[in-house]
Amino acid sequence: MFLQTIYLFISGTEIAFILFIILLVFGADKVPEIARGLGKGMRQLKDATNDIKSEITKSAEKQGIDVDITKDVREEIDKVKEDVEEVTGPIKRRR
């Protein structure tokens, strides 16, 4: 059986080529500044999304809405697992 794993849909060679082009376009002194700026921007975006999530959660709790959806999802998954095990129990394959 042939198994293939794809990470980010691009290979290491393509990443190296992109980094080489960036180095040629911006120069060696500007690359760290650009990386720092991208890092700060990504951090601000992450903080903003976390703030929005917490605000939504607080609002939902104030309104009495159940925000713990993971518990409900876990219960449904367990029910499906039990059903599958009930059907496949006698026909499981040995490994």
Short mmCIF file of all heavy atoms in Angstrom, two decimals, residues 14-81:
data_model
loop_
_atom_site.label_atom_id
_atom_site.label_comp_id
_atom_site.label_asym_id
_atom_site.label_seq_id
_atom_site.Cartn_x
_atom_site.Cartn_y
_atom_site.Cartn_z
N GLU A 14 10.52 23.70 -2.44
CA GLU A 14 9.74 24.89 -2.78
C GLU A 14 9.86 25.95 -1.70
O GLU A 14 9.94 27.14 -2.01
CB GLU A 14 8.28 24.50 -2.99
CG GLU A 14 8.07 23.64 -4.22
CD GLU A 14 6.72 22.99 -4.28
OE1 GLU A 14 6.08 22.84 -3.21
OE2 GLU A 14 6.29 22.61 -5.39
N ILE A 15 9.88 25.55 -0.44
CA ILE A 15 10.08 26.51 0.65
C ILE A 15 11.44 27.17 0.53
O ILE A 15 11.57 28.39 0.69
CB ILE A 15 9.91 25.82 2.01
CG1 ILE A 15 8.45 25.40 2.21
CG2 ILE A 15 10.36 26.74 3.15
CD1 ILE A 15 8.22 24.56 3.45
N ALA A 16 12.48 26.37 0.25
CA ALA A 16 13.84 26.93 0.10
C ALA A 16 13.88 27.91 -1.07
O ALA A 16 14.52 28.97 -0.97
CB ALA A 16 14.84 25.79 -0.11
N PHE A 17 13.20 27.59 -2.15
CA PHE A 17 13.17 28.48 -3.31
C PHE A 17 12.48 29.80 -2.96
O PHE A 17 12.96 30.88 -3.33
CB PHE A 17 12.47 27.80 -4.49
CG PHE A 17 12.44 28.63 -5.73
CD1 PHE A 17 13.60 28.84 -6.46
CD2 PHE A 17 11.27 29.22 -6.15
CE1 PHE A 17 13.57 29.62 -7.60
CE2 PHE A 17 11.23 30.01 -7.29
CZ PHE A 17 12.39 30.21 -8.02
N ILE A 18 11.37 29.72 -2.25
CA ILE A 18 10.65 30.94 -1.84
C ILE A 18 11.53 31.79 -0.93
O ILE A 18 11.61 33.02 -1.09
CB ILE A 18 9.31 30.56 -1.15
CG1 ILE A 18 8.35 29.97 -2.18
CG2 ILE A 18 8.69 31.77 -0.47
CD1 ILE A 18 7.12 29.32 -1.57
N LEU A 19 12.20 31.15 0.03
CA LEU A 19 13.11 31.90 0.93
C LEU A 19 14.25 32.54 0.15
O LEU A 19 14.67 33.67 0.44
CB LEU A 19 13.65 30.99 2.02
CG LEU A 19 12.63 30.52 3.06
CD1 LEU A 19 13.26 29.51 4.01
CD2 LEU A 19 12.06 31.70 3.82
N PHE A 20 14.77 31.85 -0.87
CA PHE A 20 15.84 32.39 -1.70
C PHE A 20 15.36 33.63 -2.46
O PHE A 20 16.06 34.65 -2.52
CB PHE A 20 16.33 31.31 -2.68
CG PHE A 20 17.40 31.79 -3.62
CD1 PHE A 20 18.68 32.04 -3.16
CD2 PHE A 20 17.12 32.00 -4.96
CE1 PHE A 20 19.67 32.48 -4.03
CE2 PHE A 20 18.09 32.43 -5.84
CZ PHE A 20 19.37 32.67 -5.36
N ILE A 21 14.16 33.58 -3.00
CA ILE A 21 13.61 34.73 -3.73
C ILE A 21 13.40 35.90 -2.77
O ILE A 21 13.70 37.05 -3.10
CB ILE A 21 12.28 34.34 -4.43
CG1 ILE A 21 12.53 33.27 -5.49
CG2 ILE A 21 11.59 35.55 -5.02
CD1 ILE A 21 13.44 33.70 -6.62
N ILE A 22 12.89 35.62 -1.58
CA ILE A 22 12.70 36.69 -0.58
C ILE A 22 14.03 37.33 -0.23
O ILE A 22 14.13 38.56 -0.12
CB ILE A 22 12.00 36.13 0.68
CG1 ILE A 22 10.54 35.79 0.36
CG2 ILE A 22 12.08 37.11 1.85
CD1 ILE A 22 9.82 35.06 1.47
N LEU A 23 15.05 36.51 -0.07
CA LEU A 23 16.38 37.03 0.24
C LEU A 23 16.91 37.90 -0.89
O LEU A 23 17.48 38.97 -0.64
CB LEU A 23 17.34 35.86 0.50
CG LEU A 23 18.73 36.20 0.98
CD1 LEU A 23 18.66 36.87 2.35
CD2 LEU A 23 19.58 34.95 1.06
N LEU A 24 16.68 37.49 -2.13
CA LEU A 24 17.12 38.29 -3.27
C LEU A 24 16.37 39.62 -3.37
O LEU A 24 16.95 40.66 -3.67
CB LEU A 24 16.95 37.51 -4.57
CG LEU A 24 17.96 36.40 -4.84
CD1 LEU A 24 17.60 35.67 -6.13
CD2 LEU A 24 19.36 36.97 -4.95
N VAL A 25 15.07 39.59 -3.13
CA VAL A 25 14.25 40.78 -3.31
C VAL A 25 14.49 41.79 -2.19
O VAL A 25 14.67 42.98 -2.44
CB VAL A 25 12.75 40.40 -3.39
CG1 VAL A 25 11.87 41.64 -3.35
CG2 VAL A 25 12.48 39.61 -4.66
N PHE A 26 14.51 41.34 -0.94
CA PHE A 26 14.58 42.27 0.18
C PHE A 26 15.98 42.45 0.75
O PHE A 26 16.24 43.43 1.44
CB PHE A 26 13.64 41.80 1.30
CG PHE A 26 12.20 41.85 0.91
CD1 PHE A 26 11.50 40.69 0.67
CD2 PHE A 26 11.55 43.07 0.77
CE1 PHE A 26 10.17 40.72 0.31
CE2 PHE A 26 10.21 43.11 0.40
CZ PHE A 26 9.53 41.94 0.17
N GLY A 27 16.88 41.54 0.53
CA GLY A 27 18.22 41.66 1.06
C GLY A 27 18.32 41.04 2.45
O GLY A 27 17.34 40.87 3.16
N ALA A 28 19.55 40.71 2.83
CA ALA A 28 19.79 40.00 4.10
C ALA A 28 19.46 40.85 5.32
O ALA A 28 19.07 40.31 6.35
CB ALA A 28 21.24 39.54 4.15
N ASP A 29 19.61 42.19 5.23
CA ASP A 29 19.36 43.02 6.42
C ASP A 29 17.87 43.23 6.68
O ASP A 29 17.46 43.45 7.81
CB ASP A 29 20.03 44.39 6.33
CG ASP A 29 20.82 44.64 5.08
OD1 ASP A 29 21.26 43.68 4.48
OD2 ASP A 29 20.98 45.81 4.72
N LYS A 30 17.04 43.16 5.65
CA LYS A 30 15.60 43.41 5.82
C LYS A 30 14.81 42.17 6.22
O LYS A 30 13.72 42.29 6.77
CB LYS A 30 15.01 43.96 4.51
CG LYS A 30 15.54 45.31 4.13
CD LYS A 30 15.00 46.37 5.05
CE LYS A 30 15.52 47.72 4.63
NZ LYS A 30 15.08 48.77 5.51
N VAL A 31 15.33 40.99 5.96
CA VAL A 31 14.59 39.76 6.24
C VAL A 31 14.25 39.61 7.72
O VAL A 31 13.11 39.30 8.06
CB VAL A 31 15.35 38.52 5.69
CG1 VAL A 31 14.69 37.23 6.14
CG2 VAL A 31 15.42 38.58 4.17
N PRO A 32 15.19 39.85 8.66
CA PRO A 32 14.81 39.75 10.08
C PRO A 32 13.73 40.75 10.49
O PRO A 32 12.84 40.42 11.29
CB PRO A 32 16.12 40.02 10.84
CG PRO A 32 17.19 39.70 9.87
CD PRO A 32 16.64 40.04 8.53
N GLU A 33 13.79 41.96 9.94
CA GLU A 33 12.77 42.97 10.25
C GLU A 33 11.40 42.51 9.74
O GLU A 33 10.39 42.67 10.42
CB GLU A 33 13.13 44.31 9.61
CG GLU A 33 14.32 44.99 10.24
CD GLU A 33 14.67 46.28 9.51
OE1 GLU A 33 13.75 46.94 8.99
OE2 GLU A 33 15.87 46.61 9.46
N ILE A 34 11.37 41.96 8.54
CA ILE A 34 10.12 41.48 7.96
C ILE A 34 9.57 40.32 8.80
O ILE A 34 8.38 40.27 9.10
CB ILE A 34 10.34 41.04 6.50
CG1 ILE A 34 10.67 42.26 5.63
CG2 ILE A 34 9.12 40.31 5.94
CD1 ILE A 34 11.14 41.92 4.24
N ALA A 35 10.45 39.41 9.20
CA ALA A 35 10.02 38.27 10.01
C ALA A 35 9.47 38.73 11.36
O ALA A 35 8.45 38.22 11.84
CB ALA A 35 11.19 37.30 10.22
N ARG A 36 10.13 39.71 11.97
CA ARG A 36 9.65 40.27 13.25
C ARG A 36 8.29 40.90 13.07
O ARG A 36 7.39 40.73 13.88
CB ARG A 36 10.65 41.30 13.79
CG ARG A 36 11.42 40.81 14.98
CD ARG A 36 12.22 41.94 15.64
NE ARG A 36 13.09 42.69 14.74
CZ ARG A 36 14.30 42.29 14.36
NH1 ARG A 36 14.79 41.16 14.79
NH2 ARG A 36 15.03 43.03 13.56
N GLY A 37 8.13 41.66 12.01
CA GLY A 37 6.84 42.31 11.74
C GLY A 37 5.73 41.29 11.50
O GLY A 37 4.61 41.46 12.00
N LEU A 38 6.04 40.24 10.75
CA LEU A 38 5.05 39.18 10.53
C LEU A 38 4.69 38.48 11.83
O LEU A 38 3.53 38.17 12.09
CB LEU A 38 5.57 38.16 9.52
CG LEU A 38 5.57 38.60 8.06
CD1 LEU A 38 6.28 37.55 7.20
CD2 LEU A 38 4.16 38.80 7.56
N GLY A 39 5.70 38.23 12.67
CA GLY A 39 5.46 37.59 13.96
C GLY A 39 4.57 38.44 14.85
O GLY A 39 3.63 37.93 15.48
N LYS A 40 4.84 39.74 14.90
CA LYS A 40 4.01 40.64 15.71
C LYS A 40 2.59 40.69 15.18
O LYS A 40 1.62 40.70 15.94
CB LYS A 40 4.61 42.05 15.72
CG LYS A 40 5.83 42.18 16.59
CD LYS A 40 6.37 43.60 16.56
CE LYS A 40 7.65 43.72 17.37
NZ LYS A 40 8.20 45.08 17.32
N GLY A 41 2.46 40.74 13.86
CA GLY A 41 1.13 40.77 13.25
C GLY A 41 0.34 39.51 13.54
O GLY A 41 -0.86 39.57 13.87
N MET A 42 1.00 38.36 13.45
CA MET A 42 0.33 37.10 13.74
C MET A 42 -0.07 37.03 15.21
O MET A 42 -1.14 36.53 15.54
CB MET A 42 1.23 35.92 13.36
CG MET A 42 1.42 35.77 11.87
SD MET A 42 2.62 34.52 11.40
CE MET A 42 1.92 33.06 12.08
N ARG A 43 0.78 37.54 16.09
CA ARG A 43 0.48 37.54 17.53
C ARG A 43 -0.73 38.43 17.82
O ARG A 43 -1.61 38.08 18.60
CB ARG A 43 1.70 38.01 18.32
CG ARG A 43 1.52 37.95 19.80
CD ARG A 43 1.25 36.53 20.17
NE ARG A 43 1.34 36.36 21.59
CZ ARG A 43 0.86 35.31 22.21
NH1 ARG A 43 0.28 34.38 21.51
NH2 ARG A 43 0.97 35.18 23.48
N GLN A 44 -0.78 39.60 17.20
CA GLN A 44 -1.91 40.51 17.39
C GLN A 44 -3.20 39.88 16.87
O GLN A 44 -4.26 40.01 17.51
CB GLN A 44 -1.66 41.83 16.68
CG GLN A 44 -0.61 42.69 17.36
CD GLN A 44 -0.31 43.95 16.57
OE1 GLN A 44 -0.70 44.11 15.43
NE2 GLN A 44 0.42 44.87 17.21
N LEU A 45 -3.12 39.19 15.75
CA LEU A 45 -4.29 38.51 15.20
C LEU A 45 -4.78 37.42 16.13
O LEU A 45 -5.98 37.29 16.39
CB LEU A 45 -3.97 37.94 13.82
CG LEU A 45 -5.10 37.23 13.09
CD1 LEU A 45 -6.22 38.23 12.77
CD2 LEU A 45 -4.59 36.58 11.83
N LYS A 46 -3.84 36.64 16.67
CA LYS A 46 -4.20 35.57 17.61
C LYS A 46 -4.83 36.15 18.87
O LYS A 46 -5.84 35.63 19.37
CB LYS A 46 -2.96 34.75 17.96
CG LYS A 46 -3.25 33.57 18.83
CD LYS A 46 -2.00 32.76 19.10
CE LYS A 46 -2.32 31.58 19.99
NZ LYS A 46 -1.12 30.81 20.30
N ASP A 47 -4.25 37.22 19.40
CA ASP A 47 -4.81 37.87 20.60
C ASP A 47 -6.22 38.40 20.33
O ASP A 47 -7.11 38.28 21.17
CB ASP A 47 -3.91 39.00 21.09
CG ASP A 47 -2.59 38.49 21.67
OD1 ASP A 47 -2.51 37.28 22.00
OD2 ASP A 47 -1.65 39.29 21.79
N ALA A 48 -6.41 39.00 19.16
CA ALA A 48 -7.73 39.54 18.82
C ALA A 48 -8.77 38.43 18.71
O ALA A 48 -9.89 38.58 19.21
CB ALA A 48 -7.65 40.32 17.50
N THR A 49 -8.41 37.31 18.09
CA THR A 49 -9.37 36.22 17.97
C THR A 49 -9.67 35.62 19.34
O THR A 49 -10.82 35.25 19.61
CB THR A 49 -8.87 35.12 17.02
OG1 THR A 49 -7.59 34.66 17.45
CG2 THR A 49 -8.79 35.61 15.60
N ASN A 50 -8.67 35.53 20.21
CA ASN A 50 -8.92 35.03 21.57
C ASN A 50 -9.84 35.97 22.34
O ASN A 50 -10.71 35.52 23.10
CB ASN A 50 -7.61 34.82 22.33
CG ASN A 50 -6.85 33.61 21.85
OD1 ASN A 50 -7.42 32.70 21.25
ND2 ASN A 50 -5.55 33.59 22.09
N ASP A 51 -9.65 37.28 22.16
CA ASP A 51 -10.53 38.25 22.81
C ASP A 51 -11.97 38.11 22.33
O ASP A 51 -12.92 38.17 23.11
CB ASP A 51 -10.04 39.68 22.57
CG ASP A 51 -8.76 40.01 23.32
OD1 ASP A 51 -8.42 39.27 24.28
OD2 ASP A 51 -8.10 41.00 22.95
N ILE A 52 -12.12 37.93 21.02
CA ILE A 52 -13.47 37.77 20.46
C ILE A 52 -14.12 36.49 20.98
O ILE A 52 -15.29 36.50 21.36
CB ILE A 52 -13.40 37.77 18.91
CG1 ILE A 52 -13.01 39.16 18.42
CG2 ILE A 52 -14.72 37.33 18.30
CD1 ILE A 52 -12.68 39.22 16.94
N LYS A 53 -13.35 35.40 21.02
CA LYS A 53 -13.88 34.14 21.54
C LYS A 53 -14.33 34.29 22.99
O LYS A 53 -15.41 33.82 23.37
CB LYS A 53 -12.83 33.03 21.45
CG LYS A 53 -12.61 32.48 20.09
CD LYS A 53 -11.54 31.41 20.15
CE LYS A 53 -11.10 30.97 18.79
NZ LYS A 53 -10.02 29.97 18.86
N SER A 54 -13.50 34.93 23.81
CA SER A 54 -13.86 35.08 25.22
C SER A 54 -15.07 35.99 25.39
O SER A 54 -15.93 35.74 26.24
CB SER A 54 -12.67 35.60 26.03
OG SER A 54 -12.35 36.92 25.67
N GLU A 55 -15.19 37.00 24.57
CA GLU A 55 -16.35 37.90 24.63
C GLU A 55 -17.63 37.17 24.24
O GLU A 55 -18.67 37.34 24.88
CB GLU A 55 -16.12 39.10 23.72
CG GLU A 55 -17.00 40.27 23.99
CD GLU A 55 -16.81 40.86 25.38
OE1 GLU A 55 -15.67 40.93 25.86
OE2 GLU A 55 -17.83 41.23 26.00
N ILE A 56 -17.55 36.35 23.20
CA ILE A 56 -18.71 35.56 22.79
C ILE A 56 -19.10 34.58 23.88
O ILE A 56 -20.28 34.40 24.19
CB ILE A 56 -18.42 34.84 21.45
CG1 ILE A 56 -18.34 35.86 20.32
CG2 ILE A 56 -19.47 33.77 21.16
CD1 ILE A 56 -17.88 35.30 19.00
N THR A 57 -18.10 33.93 24.48
CA THR A 57 -18.38 32.98 25.55
C THR A 57 -19.03 33.66 26.74
O THR A 57 -20.01 33.15 27.31
CB THR A 57 -17.07 32.28 25.99
OG1 THR A 57 -16.47 31.66 24.86
CG2 THR A 57 -17.33 31.24 27.05
N LYS A 58 -18.52 34.83 27.12
CA LYS A 58 -19.10 35.57 28.24
C LYS A 58 -20.54 35.97 27.95
O LYS A 58 -21.42 35.85 28.80
CB LYS A 58 -18.27 36.82 28.55
CG LYS A 58 -16.96 36.54 29.22
CD LYS A 58 -16.18 37.82 29.44
CE LYS A 58 -14.78 37.55 29.95
NZ LYS A 58 -14.01 38.79 30.08
N SER A 59 -20.78 36.43 26.73
CA SER A 59 -22.15 36.83 26.35
C SER A 59 -23.09 35.63 26.36
O SER A 59 -24.23 35.73 26.82
CB SER A 59 -22.15 37.46 24.96
OG SER A 59 -21.39 38.63 24.94
N ALA A 60 -22.62 34.50 25.87
CA ALA A 60 -23.44 33.30 25.84
C ALA A 60 -23.75 32.83 27.27
O ALA A 60 -24.87 32.41 27.56
CB ALA A 60 -22.75 32.19 25.05
N GLU A 61 -22.77 32.90 28.14
CA GLU A 61 -23.00 32.49 29.53
C GLU A 61 -23.99 33.42 30.23
O GLU A 61 -24.81 32.97 31.03
CB GLU A 61 -21.68 32.43 30.29
CG GLU A 61 -20.80 31.26 29.90
CD GLU A 61 -19.42 31.29 30.53
OE1 GLU A 61 -19.06 32.32 31.15
OE2 GLU A 61 -18.70 30.29 30.39
N LYS A 62 -23.91 34.72 29.92
CA LYS A 62 -24.87 35.67 30.50
C LYS A 62 -26.29 35.36 30.06
O LYS A 62 -27.24 35.53 30.81
CB LYS A 62 -24.53 37.10 30.09
CG LYS A 62 -23.49 37.75 30.93
CD LYS A 62 -23.33 39.21 30.52
CE LYS A 62 -22.33 39.91 31.40
NZ LYS A 62 -22.15 41.30 30.99
N GLN A 63 -26.43 34.91 28.81
CA GLN A 63 -27.76 34.60 28.27
C GLN A 63 -28.23 33.20 28.68
O GLN A 63 -29.34 32.81 28.36
CB GLN A 63 -27.74 34.70 26.74
CG GLN A 63 -27.40 36.07 26.22
CD GLN A 63 -28.44 37.10 26.61
OE1 GLN A 63 -29.63 36.83 26.62
NE2 GLN A 63 -27.98 38.29 26.95
N GLY A 64 -27.37 32.45 29.36
CA GLY A 64 -27.74 31.11 29.80
C GLY A 64 -27.60 30.05 28.73
O GLY A 64 -28.20 28.99 28.81
N ILE A 65 -26.80 30.32 27.71
CA ILE A 65 -26.59 29.37 26.62
C ILE A 65 -25.44 28.45 27.01
O ILE A 65 -24.40 28.90 27.50
CB ILE A 65 -26.27 30.11 25.31
CG1 ILE A 65 -27.44 31.01 24.92
CG2 ILE A 65 -25.94 29.12 24.20
CD1 ILE A 65 -27.14 31.92 23.75
N ASP A 66 -25.63 27.14 26.78
CA ASP A 66 -24.58 26.17 27.08
C ASP A 66 -23.45 26.32 26.07
O ASP A 66 -23.66 26.13 24.87
CB ASP A 66 -25.16 24.75 27.04
CG ASP A 66 -24.13 23.70 27.43
OD1 ASP A 66 -23.15 24.05 28.11
OD2 ASP A 66 -24.32 22.53 27.06
N VAL A 67 -22.27 26.66 26.54
CA VAL A 67 -21.14 26.87 25.65
C VAL A 67 -20.21 25.67 25.61
O VAL A 67 -19.26 25.65 24.83
CB VAL A 67 -20.33 28.12 26.06
CG1 VAL A 67 -21.13 29.38 25.83
CG2 VAL A 67 -19.86 28.03 27.49
N ASP A 68 -20.46 24.66 26.43
CA ASP A 68 -19.60 23.48 26.45
C ASP A 68 -20.11 22.46 25.45
O ASP A 68 -20.71 21.45 25.80
CB ASP A 68 -19.56 22.89 27.86
CG ASP A 68 -18.47 21.83 28.00
OD1 ASP A 68 -17.55 21.82 27.17
OD2 ASP A 68 -18.58 21.02 28.94
N ILE A 69 -19.87 22.74 24.18
CA ILE A 69 -20.35 21.87 23.11
C ILE A 69 -19.52 20.60 23.03
O ILE A 69 -19.97 19.58 22.54
CB ILE A 69 -20.35 22.61 21.76
CG1 ILE A 69 -21.12 21.84 20.73
CG2 ILE A 69 -18.94 22.88 21.29
CD1 ILE A 69 -21.42 22.61 19.48
N THR A 70 -18.29 20.63 23.54
CA THR A 70 -17.43 19.45 23.45
C THR A 70 -18.01 18.27 24.21
O THR A 70 -17.84 17.12 23.79
CB THR A 70 -16.02 19.76 23.97
OG1 THR A 70 -16.11 20.23 25.32
CG2 THR A 70 -15.32 20.80 23.13
N LYS A 71 -18.70 18.54 25.30
CA LYS A 71 -19.31 17.45 26.07
C LYS A 71 -20.39 16.77 25.24
O LYS A 71 -20.45 15.54 25.19
CB LYS A 71 -19.91 18.01 27.37
CG LYS A 71 -20.47 16.95 28.29
CD LYS A 71 -20.98 17.56 29.58
CE LYS A 71 -22.40 18.00 29.34
NZ LYS A 71 -23.09 18.51 30.52
N ASP A 72 -21.23 17.55 24.57
CA ASP A 72 -22.28 16.99 23.73
C ASP A 72 -21.70 16.20 22.57
O ASP A 72 -22.18 15.12 22.23
CB ASP A 72 -23.19 18.10 23.19
CG ASP A 72 -23.91 18.84 24.31
OD1 ASP A 72 -24.11 18.24 25.39
OD2 ASP A 72 -24.27 20.02 24.10
N VAL A 73 -20.65 16.73 21.95
CA VAL A 73 -20.01 16.05 20.83
C VAL A 73 -19.39 14.74 21.29
O VAL A 73 -19.51 13.70 20.63
CB VAL A 73 -18.96 16.96 20.15
CG1 VAL A 73 -18.15 16.20 19.14
CG2 VAL A 73 -19.63 18.16 19.52
N ARG A 74 -18.72 14.76 22.44
CA ARG A 74 -18.09 13.55 22.98
C ARG A 74 -19.14 12.47 23.25
O ARG A 74 -18.92 11.30 22.96
CB ARG A 74 -17.33 13.91 24.27
CG ARG A 74 -16.70 12.74 25.00
CD ARG A 74 -15.66 11.98 24.22
NE ARG A 74 -14.62 12.82 23.75
CZ ARG A 74 -13.78 12.48 22.78
NH1 ARG A 74 -13.86 11.30 22.22
NH2 ARG A 74 -12.85 13.29 22.38
N GLU A 75 -20.30 12.85 23.80
CA GLU A 75 -21.37 11.88 24.06
C GLU A 75 -21.86 11.24 22.77
O GLU A 75 -22.07 10.02 22.70
CB GLU A 75 -22.53 12.56 24.79
CG GLU A 75 -22.22 12.91 26.23
CD GLU A 75 -23.34 13.70 26.89
OE1 GLU A 75 -24.38 13.97 26.23
OE2 GLU A 75 -23.18 14.07 28.06
N GLU A 76 -22.04 12.04 21.71
CA GLU A 76 -22.49 11.51 20.43
C GLU A 76 -21.44 10.57 19.83
O GLU A 76 -21.77 9.52 19.27
CB GLU A 76 -22.80 12.65 19.45
CG GLU A 76 -24.05 13.42 19.78
CD GLU A 76 -25.30 12.55 19.76
OE1 GLU A 76 -25.44 11.72 18.84
OE2 GLU A 76 -26.12 12.70 20.67
N ILE A 77 -20.17 10.94 19.94
CA ILE A 77 -19.10 10.08 19.43
C ILE A 77 -19.09 8.75 20.16
O ILE A 77 -18.94 7.69 19.55
CB ILE A 77 -17.73 10.80 19.53
CG1 ILE A 77 -17.66 11.94 18.53
CG2 ILE A 77 -16.58 9.81 19.31
CD1 ILE A 77 -16.44 12.81 18.67
N ASP A 78 -19.25 8.80 21.48
CA ASP A 78 -19.28 7.56 22.27
C ASP A 78 -20.46 6.68 21.88
O ASP A 78 -20.32 5.45 21.80
CB ASP A 78 -19.32 7.88 23.77
CG ASP A 78 -18.01 8.47 24.28
OD1 ASP A 78 -16.98 8.27 23.61
OD2 ASP A 78 -18.03 9.12 25.35
N LYS A 79 -21.62 7.28 21.61
CA LYS A 79 -22.78 6.50 21.17
C LYS A 79 -22.50 5.80 19.84
O LYS A 79 -22.82 4.62 19.66
CB LYS A 79 -24.01 7.40 21.02
CG LYS A 79 -24.62 7.84 22.33
CD LYS A 79 -25.81 8.74 22.06
CE LYS A 79 -26.34 9.36 23.34
NZ LYS A 79 -27.44 10.32 23.08
N VAL A 80 -21.90 6.53 18.91
CA VAL A 80 -21.59 5.95 17.61
C VAL A 80 -20.56 4.83 17.75
O VAL A 80 -20.67 3.78 17.12
CB VAL A 80 -21.10 7.04 16.62
CG1 VAL A 80 -20.56 6.43 15.35
CG2 VAL A 80 -22.22 8.02 16.33
N LYS A 81 -19.55 5.03 18.61
CA LYS A 81 -18.55 3.99 18.84
C LYS A 81 -19.20 2.72 19.38
O LYS A 81 -18.87 1.62 18.96
CB LYS A 81 -17.49 4.47 19.83
CG LYS A 81 -16.43 5.35 19.25
CD LYS A 81 -15.42 5.70 20.32
CE LYS A 81 -14.33 6.59 19.81
NZ LYS A 81 -13.37 6.95 20.88
#
